[in-house]
Amino acid sequence: MKTLSIDVRRAEPHDARAISETHRLAWQHTYAGIIPHRALTQMIERRGESWWRKATRGPATLLVLDVAGTVAGYATLGLNRARALPQEGEIYELYLRPEYQGIGLGRMLFGEARRLLKSLGCNGLVVWCLEENETAGRFYRHHGGVDFCEGMESFDHRQLKKIGFIWS
């Protein structure tokens, strides 16, 4: 009988290539048809292996979801960047490779990110997602997020609405 190991851990510099690939696959799957193609391609290309290697040492915390030695997802988190909101923590990104979606691993990664922010003393949490990313919106609502505020993001001259979900 084999045992499958699933772990959420802090990313290390040696994870950079796998995180870069996970980022590319997840963003192509998530944002194709939402973010204009040229803008999406440029955003993905900017975050290559060296960018992610630096991110493992940056100010934001970078977690990886490790499934039997494969980086199946990642989350970045830290202090809330929207000073007008009282929530102290923010999950900046949470993405899984498409083949790992829909089986509970996102819930696991999200839960660990929330626990880490709480352990760092952050009261409350905010997560932003594009309104057209209906899958993410459903995920955050299902996990207790309240649609609290809106903003706009510009992608290659196209304005897209984003929703801020909060947890107290």
Side-chain angles (χ1 to χ4, degrees), residues 63 86 111 126 147:
L63 299 176
V126 62
D147 305 38

Side-chain angles (χ1 to χ4, degrees), residues 7-167:
D7 188 33
V8 176
R9 60 178 173 76
R10 287 189 188 245
E12 298 290 334
H14 71 269
D15 294 316
R17 175 176 281 150
I19 298 167
S20 177
E21 180 68 5
T22 299
H23 170 258
R24 183 182 65 76
L25 293 169
W27 280 45
Q28 286 172 336
H29 177 77
T30 301
Y31 297 119
I34 297 175
I35 295 175
H37 180 74
R38 186 175 78 181
L40 178 58
T41 300
Q42 289 172 343
M43 292 167 69
I44 291 169
E45 288 175 356
R46 277 196 300 265
R47 289 190 178 188
E49 184 178 346
S50 63
W51 191 95
W52 286 104
R53 189 170 293 106
K54 289 177 191 168
T56 65
R57 296 184 285 265
T61 299
L62 176 55
L63 299 176
V64 293
L65 173 68
D66 185 315
V67 177
T70 298
V71 173
Y74 71 92
T76 59
L77 52 125
L79 296 176
N80 175 13
R81 297 170 291 183
R83 301 289 179 230
L85 297 176
Q87 288 71 27
E88 294 175 353
E90 181 176 353
I91 296 176
Y92 309 129
E93 297 181 79
L94 191 142
Y95 292 98
L96 299 178
R97 288 175 173 257
E99 65 268 28
Y100 290 95
Q101 294 177 12
I103 57 174
L105 296 175
R107 178 182 62 236
M108 181 181 182
L109 182 56
F110 181 66
E112 288 301 316
R114 287 184 71 184
R115 277 188 279 287
L116 180 56
L117 285 169
K118 192 169 190 77
S119 76
L120 295 173
C122 291
N123 292 314
L125 164 67
V126 62
V127 177
W128 293 90
C129 79
L130 293 177
E131 182 179 53
E132 290 185 48
N133 184 354
E134 295 173 1
T135 302
R138 278 192 305 274
F139 176 86
Y140 294 125
R141 285 182 193 96
H142 179 75
H143 290 89
V146 176
D147 305 38
F148 184 75
C149 51
E150 298 177 353
M152 297 299 287
E153 288 282 331
S154 181
F155 300 96
D156 218 14
H157 307 293
R158 181 167 180 224
Q159 295 290 312
L160 296 175
K161 187 189 294 185
K162 62 182 181 178
I163 306 293
F165 291 89
I166 61 165
W167 290 259

